[in-house]
Amino acid sequence: MFKNFAILDVETTGGKFNEEKITDISILIYDGIKVINKFETLINPDKDIQPFVQKLTGITNELVKNSPKFKDVSKNIFNITKDKIVVAHNVDFDYRVIKNEFQSINIKYHRHSLCTLALSRLIFPDLKSYKLTNLLLNFGIVNKNPHRANSDALGTLKLLQILINEDLEMKVIKSKIKSNKNKQ
């Protein structure tokens, strides 16, 4: 169970639902003790990044113009997450965006997933905010570069470790793993 986590975060261009493209991705493979593998890169989305998103993330069209396209890194992403539980803060967003990117290059992508946002609400029901940065601050952890994939993935890893420590028997965590096999 513990050797199966792919903690990830993506940043996107913004835009219409299901039309967002990835601009930044970070994946940390966690075995329950330490990070045993990682992958991170900026991605050229082949479309403009919305001004609001550029301001929020600091990722500009200029910054990603010479970065690889998703199809160029898709094999790495596919392989590093294979047989892993994809973990993200608001995983439905990250998983949907990655799955759509794979769909755009005619590759089916199905992974089990786990949401640290949903888990935080269950395990810590009395907190005022469940935004990643605020959750981390609640536990004395500073997210040094919010809205960048690597910093948010590291923050999500730290949050997952806290959640595991609060749910040592993994009852809540196991109950919240989604298979995603039948989602189109």
Side-chain angles (χ1 to χ4, degrees):
M1 172 76 190
F2 282 122
K3 295 185 171 60
N4 294 326
F5 295 116
I7 293 97
L8 61 80
D9 187 77
V10 299
E11 301 301 329
T12 70
T13 57
K16 291 183 182 176
F17 185 81
N18 283 339
E19 292 180 13
E20 313 98 329
K21 303 298 272 179
I22 296 173
T23 58
D24 189 17
I25 186 167
S26 179
I27 305 169
L28 307 170
I29 305 303
Y30 179 63
D31 69 358
I33 298 168
K34 63 183 182 302
V35 173
I36 58 170
N37 199 358
K38 68 180 179 177
F39 174 80
E40 66 178 289
T41 188
L42 290 170
I43 294 177
N44 180 340
D46 260 343
K47 73 183 286 188
D48 284 340
I49 302 168
Q50 293 200 336
F52 167 79
V53 175
Q54 289 185 50
K55 187 175 181 184
L56 181 69
T57 64
I59 301 169
T60 63
N61 295 314
E62 183 69 22
L63 184 64
V64 297
K65 77 176 185 180
N66 295 320
S67 297
K69 295 183 179 7
F70 182 82
K71 66 179 180 176
D72 301 324
V73 297
S74 62
K75 186 175 182 180
N76 289 342
I77 295 168
F78 192 90
N79 289 336
I80 199 171
T81 61
K82 188 174 182 174
D83 301 322
K84 306 291 184 294
I85 298 166
V86 170
V87 180
H89 201 68
N90 190 16
V91 74
D92 288 347
F93 172 79
D94 299 78
Y95 185 85
R96 176 182 56 80
V97 171
I98 290 171
K99 186 173 179 178
N100 285 344
E101 289 277 16
F102 276 107
Q103 196 169 9
S104 75
I105 57 172
N106 298 313
I107 295 174
K108 289 186 189 298
Y109 184 81
H110 298 286
R111 302 289 185 266
H112 287 75
S113 65
L114 182 64
C115 183
T116 57
L117 174 61
L119 283 174
S120 296
R121 286 182 171 145
L122 284 171
I123 294 173
F124 301 108
D126 298 323
L127 297 178
K128 287 186 168 91
S129 172
Y130 294 91
K131 289 172 69 175
L132 181 61
T133 299
N134 294 344
L135 273 169
L136 293 171
L137 281 174
N138 188 67
F139 298 108
I141 301 165
V142 175
N143 185 351
K144 293 181 180 162
N145 201 1
H147 303 295
R148 286 302 298 262
N150 190 54
S151 187
D152 284 351
L154 285 168
T156 301
L157 168 62
K158 290 173 184 172
L159 180 58
L160 179 65
Q161 291 167 328
I162 291 166
L163 293 165
I164 289 170
N165 284 335
E166 290 293 315
D167 185 30
L168 290 175
E169 293 181 19
M170 302 288 286
K171 288 181 181 177
V172 176
I173 291 171
K174 285 180 185 177
S175 75
K176 288 301 179 185
I177 296 171
K178 295 189 336 189
S179 81
N180 298 310
K181 284 281 185 199
N182 297 324
K183 287 188 174 182
Q184 292 299 327

